[in-house]
Amino acid sequence: MRLLVVEDDRDLNRQLVAAFEQAGYAVDRAFDGEDGQFLGETEPYDAVVLDMGLPKKDGLQVLEAWRKSGKTMPVLIL
């Protein structure tokens, strides 16, 4: 299972990624909304952990863009 973590708090991002990887997931990470949106549009993720308060583009804008482009992966909002 492949996950994306989009979280600008570097410590929380690191902790989430480490926990998911330890559980056996393949995890990509982004630290701002622009990078997160790009990854979500160009890579096949089974699920996403998405922060709402991101730099460059907030999480709600990212999620709206994904849904408008037809991306239907489950998203857990922080």
Side-chain angles (χ1 to χ4, degrees):
M1 184 172 229
R2 188 170 180 198
L3 305 177
L4 172 62
V5 174
V6 187
E7 169 60 59
D8 61 318
D9 181 304
R10 292 194 178 268
D11 287 333
L12 181 54
N13 190 310
R14 180 185 48 78
Q15 291 171 354
L16 289 168
V17 169
F20 288 132
E21 287 177 339
Q22 186 175 9
Y25 296 100
V27 186
D28 291 336
R29 66 176 79 198
F31 296 100
D32 64 60
E34 285 182 357
D35 289 344
Q37 183 178 335
F38 175 78
L39 287 171
E41 289 174 351
T42 60
E43 300 295 328
Y45 293 106
D46 296 297
V48 177
V49 177
L50 180 64
D51 184 25
M52 285 288 103
L54 295 167
K56 297 186 180 179
K57 186 177 276 194
D58 71 48
L60 186 57
Q61 291 173 310
V62 172
L63 182 56
E64 287 175 346
W66 285 339
R67 295 305 187 232
K68 285 180 183 175
S69 70
K71 298 295 180 183
T72 60
M73 68 282 208
V75 176
L76 175 66
I77 296 174
L78 293 179

